[in-house]
Amino acid sequence: MSVLTHAPTTTDWVTICPQERLEPEIGLAALLPDGHQVALFATRDHHLYALDNLDPHTGAAVLARGIVGDRDGEPTVASPMLKHVFSLRTGQSLDDPHTRLATWPVRVHDHTIQIGTTPTTHASTRAEQGTP
């Protein structure tokens, strides 16, 4: 599997599962040591992605159960709650320009999938910007 996210130069890695346990387009929820819930995905073309598991519109930890797809070549996940669509690469909402999920570095190491403990991008939501 290849990895599209780039890790910061200093990051700790958390082993999530054996590589063969992650099925293409079926999300897996993981809990990082600091309490962050992360949704982990593999696409059919063998790319790995990790982003916040919390739906920013409902607060529910459900994105790992979202529908993986594609919008104009951009790999996406649609929240199972309100069907908002997010880029798997950047975490940016494709429906709301003011909403973004944090993304996390992912790698395969010794046939296990690992997530970095430092996010690649930080979430920016309407609530953080003080809008309804």
Side-chain angles (χ1 to χ4, degrees), residues 11-22:
T11 190
D12 292 324
W13 294 93
V14 176
T15 297
I16 303 301
C17 65
Q19 185 176 358
E20 63 272 5
R21 295 275 315 269
L22 186 62

Side-chain angles (χ1 to χ4, degrees), residues 60-105:
V62 296
L63 283 175
R65 296 186 306 205
I67 301 165
V68 174
D70 179 282
R71 189 181 282 181
D72 297 325
E74 182 70 23
T76 62
V77 63
S79 172
M81 297 294 288
L82 300 175
K83 307 303 185 256
H84 287 104
V85 177
F86 299 90
S87 165
L88 286 172
R89 288 184 188 144
T90 66
Q92 178 64 49
S93 169
L94 301 183
D95 301 317
D96 177 357
H98 302 291
T99 303
R100 175 185 294 260
L101 301 172
T103 58
W104 305 83

Side-chain angles (χ1 to χ4, degrees), residues 16-63:
I16 303 301
C17 65
Q19 185 176 358
E20 63 272 5
R21 295 275 315 269
L22 186 62
E23 297 181 41
E25 299 185 358
I26 306 235
L28 178 72
L31 185 62
L32 298 181
D34 67 358
H36 274 95
Q37 294 188 36
V38 177
L40 176 64
F41 296 96
T43 57
R44 294 214 182 272
D45 59 357
H46 307 291
H47 294 287
L48 297 174
Y49 300 97
L51 60 158
D52 285 334
N53 193 37
L54 293 178
D55 181 317
H57 299 283
T58 65
V62 296
L63 283 175

